[in-house]
C-alpha cells in the first residue's frame, strides 16, 4: 500500500433543529447522541464514497479519521444584574431584550463584558432620560447655593438651566450632593470645571445603580 503524501480535510457545518430532549443535553452527551444517530451509514460510509470518487483520479485513501463536534446555538441570557450594573437607565423590558441579544457575543473577561454590555445598552437606548434635581454647592464667593437641574439617567450628566450660564462654583470643594426632586434619593456629583453653559456636573453611572427603580419611576412619572 502506498504511503500517504497528502491530507484532505472535508468540513461541513450542518445547522440542526433538534428535539427539546437533545438540546437540553450537555456538550459531551449531545455529541455522543448525534454520533449515534449518524451511525456507520455516515461515519464509515463517507470515506468509502470519497474513496470511490477519488479513485477515478488515481487517488487512493490510505487512512482516515473523523472528528464530530456540536455547539448549541441557544445562548443563555445574560444575568440581568450585569446589565443593570452598567446601564441603570434601561427599563425592565429593555434589560430583558438586551439580556437575550447580547448573550451570543458576550466576552469572557468581566471587564470586557461590562464594556460590551454598556456599548450595547447605549446602542439600544441612548436618549436623554431626565429627572429633576437640585445640587447643593458653594459659589466661587464661598456662599452656599442650590442649583436646579435635570439629571440624565443615561450617562449621569446634569443639565442646568440657562440662568446658570454665568454661575461659578468654588473649585476643589469635593463631591456635591444631588437631591432628586420628589424622592428621598441623594447622590453625589463631581464638578469638572465650567463651560459656556455653566458648571459641568456629572454623577458616575455606578452611583445610580442602587437607586435604579426609584429613578426610573421618577423619570416615567415626569
Amino acid at each position: 500500500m502506498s504511503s500517504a503524501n497528502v491530507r484532505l480535510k472535508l468540513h461541513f457545518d450542518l445547522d440542526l433543529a433538534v428535539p427539546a430532549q437533545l438540546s437540553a443535553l450537555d456538550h459531551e452527551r449531545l455529541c455522543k447522541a448525534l454520533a449515534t444517530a449518524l451511525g456507520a451509514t455516515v461515519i464509515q460510509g463517507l470515506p468509502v464514497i470519497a474513496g470511490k470518487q477519488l479513485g477515478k483520479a488515481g487517488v487512493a485513501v490510505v487512512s482516515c479519521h473523523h472528528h464530530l463536534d456540536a455547539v448549541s446555538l441557544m445562548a443563555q441570557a445574560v444575568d440581568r444584574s450585569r446589565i443593570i450594573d452598567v446601564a441603570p437607565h434601561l427599563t425592565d423590558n429593555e434589560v430583558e431584550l438586551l439580556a437575550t441579544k447580547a448573550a451570543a457575543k458576550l466576552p469572557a473577561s468581566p471587564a470586557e463584558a461590562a464594556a460590551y454590555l454598556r456599548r450595547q445598552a447605549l446602542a439600544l437606548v441612548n436618549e436623554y432620560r431626565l429627572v429633576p434635581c437640585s445640587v447643593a454647592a458653594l459659589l466661587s464667593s464661598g456662599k452656599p447655593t442650590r442649583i436646579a437641574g435635570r439629571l440624565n439617567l443615561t450617562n449621569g450628566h446634569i443639565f442646568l438651566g440657562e440662568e446658570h450660564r454665568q454661575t461659578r462654583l468654588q473649585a476643589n470643594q469635593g463631591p456635591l450632593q444631588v437631591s432628586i426632586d420628589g424622592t428621598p434619593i441623594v447622590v453625589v456629583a463631581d464638578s469638572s470645571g465650567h463651560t459656556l453653559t455653566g458648571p459641568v456636573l456629572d454623577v458616575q453611572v455606578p452611583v445610580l445603580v442602587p437607586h435604579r427603580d426609584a429613578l426610573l419611576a421618577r423619570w416615567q412619572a415626569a
Side-chain angles (χ1 to χ4, degrees), residues 11 16 24-25 29 37 45 47 50 52 67 70 73 78-79 81 102 142 150 169 171 175 182 194 202-203 215:
H11 183 101
L16 309 177
L25 297 176
R29 290 188 295 167
K52 290 181 178 179
H67 172 74
L73 300 179
V78 178
D79 188 319
S81 66
R150 294 178 297 163
L169 301 182
H194 300 78
D202 292 280
V203 177
L215 289 171

Side-chain angles (χ1 to χ4, degrees), residues 4 8 40 55-56 67 76 91 99 121 124 144 188 199:
L8 170 66
K56 298 176 182 179
H67 172 74
Q76 297 295 316
T91 65
L124 180 65
V188 295

